[in-house]
Amino acid sequence: MRILLLSAYSAQSHQSWCDNLLKMFPEHDWQLLTLPGRYFNWRIRGNALSWGVGQRGILEQSYDRVIATSMVDCATLRGLVPKLSTIPWTVYFHENQFAYPVSVGNDHTEPKMVSLYNALCADQLVFNTDYNYQTFITGLGKFLKKMPDEVPEDTLDIIIKKHTIISVPITINETKQIKNKGNPTPVLLWNHRWEYDKGPNQLDAFLNVLRQRDFMFKINLIGQKFRTIPKALLKIKKEFPNELLNYGFIQSKEDYKNILRQSDFILSTALHDFQGVAVLEAVASGCIPIVPNRLSYPEIFPERYQYQSESACLNIEAESMADKLISLDKKRINNELDLDDIDMAGFSVKNLKPLYADILFMS
């Protein structure tokens, strides 16, 4: 089968997903087109122009199927290159624009319309979590109700009939049993994209609560950085120099994996996470999760690893997060953690491959 794979915003998680598809199914003939993961507003509206005109020769070749990430402007691309409208399309939703926290005065109307038209024109829709799907449908319903007139009543029904849920595979090949790693002082890990939606302010508040309680810790503060670094992360670097083990982007994949293996707890302070691949990879490497009871986390992790979500009040949430960490760390030190309720095997490439095969390559 000849497959055209399109990723319009090739951030790390999207790039990893594409790489895994190619590795899982080498028997197929893949043509991959990507665009850099920057300039979000231009990318989500301009990718059809960049490819439909700039890569027209590639797009007009013969393919059996198109697989696209949800940031590809599928409807416009099919219009610019009519040959693409004659073959099946699968759109994979790593995230959705209806649940994304936006700044005041920016309602993301354009990205939302792209998502709507993608969902309508594709033959098949795949979401990485039920949380992603549910917030997409709920958010789209609210969005359509704001439109002044002429919204077909069956719009949501058309979309609902075409969806399924398959997670993004975790990129660590071997899942490992979580255990006490022997660190006398707990080593914390925050390994997320360095942007506001990953909760850097929440992290700063949490670390300050730990300091106020005289709780000793070390931390690996790593992740993908951009031109503008959130002030909270710069503040942490200045105020916690003795606690920081690693700070910034880790270039080497092996070094990154070693940091995950050496850490005791993986922290999420996210305001926006539709699966939390960085957290899953860390847990698969032996980290104990400390996650909020929001987003996709309640469908992935048992309640005892969740702290109370109070994203509108940093101090209350930071206190709850500190309570959770200190409680679990006592059990870690005393080897009292029974972690049989955490199993990442279901997210492995090995176990997800048959699901992808059934969905993506069915006739």
Side-chain angles (χ1 to χ4, degrees), residues 139-335:
L140 176 56
K142 293 178 179 178
F143 178 73
L144 292 176
K145 287 181 179 178
K146 295 179 180 179
M147 300 301 106
D149 63 5
E150 300 295 335
V151 176
E153 292 183 359
D154 61 344
T155 300
L156 287 180
D157 291 335
I158 293 172
I159 294 170
I160 290 171
K161 293 175 182 177
K162 297 190 287 186
H163 96 279
T164 191
I165 297 170
I166 307 178
S167 299
V168 173
I170 56 175
T171 56
I172 294 176
N173 293 325
E174 263 183 56
T175 57
K176 302 180 185 297
Q177 180 69 35
I178 297 177
K179 58 184 179 181
N180 187 343
K181 299 180 181 181
N183 296 321
T185 299
V187 177
L188 313 182
L189 170 67
W190 194 91
N191 61 336
H192 309 283
R193 180 168 34 82
W194 286 26
E195 291 186 300
Y196 86 101
D197 63 295
K198 297 303 181 183
N201 292 330
Q202 281 79 357
L203 177 65
D204 178 45
F206 163 68
L207 295 183
N208 276 284
V209 169
L210 294 183
R211 173 169 284 178
Q212 292 165 12
R213 297 190 187 186
D214 295 322
F215 182 81
M216 304 296 292
F217 66 91
K218 299 292 184 180
I219 184 168
N220 290 304
L221 181 50
I222 59 177
Q224 184 180 13
K225 297 195 298 184
F226 300 89
R227 287 177 296 178
T228 301
I229 297 177
K231 292 180 180 179
L233 299 183
L234 294 173
K235 180 173 175 284
I236 291 170
K237 182 180 182 181
K238 180 180 180 180
E239 295 182 354
F240 293 91
N242 296 325
E243 287 80 8
L244 282 169
L245 297 175
N246 290 280
Y247 181 89
F249 181 68
I250 306 301
Q251 293 284 351
S252 165
K253 289 185 178 179
E254 192 56 40
D255 288 345
Y256 176 76
K257 291 179 181 179
N258 285 334
I259 290 173
L260 266 58
R261 295 186 190 110
Q262 293 162 8
S263 300
D264 294 300
F265 292 93
I266 170 64
L267 311 174
S268 174
T269 52
L271 305 174
H272 160 246
D273 244 344
F274 293 98
Q275 182 176 333
V277 171
V279 173
L280 296 180
E281 289 180 342
V283 173
S285 296
C287 293
I288 302 164
I290 304 290
V291 297
N293 62 348
R294 59 175 175 257
L295 310 173
S296 61
Y297 294 118
E299 70 180 272
I300 298 174
F301 298 112
E303 184 177 350
R304 65 170 171 165
Y305 304 106
Q306 303 168 30
Y307 59 88
Q308 185 62 39
S309 174
E310 294 286 352
S311 55
C313 184
L314 291 182
N315 291 335
I316 293 177
E317 181 165 295
E319 294 285 351
S320 175
M321 190 176 180
D323 289 342
K324 183 63 64 174
L325 170 66
I326 293 171
S327 172
L328 289 176
D329 190 54
K330 288 178 181 178
K331 294 181 179 180
R332 176 190 72 90
I333 293 173
N334 295 326
N335 292 311

Side-chain angles (χ1 to χ4, degrees), residues 126-139:
V126 183
F127 293 81
N128 55 355
T129 60
D130 185 61
Y131 166 78
N132 190 6
Y133 167 68
Q134 295 294 343
T135 53
F136 177 84
I137 292 298
T138 301

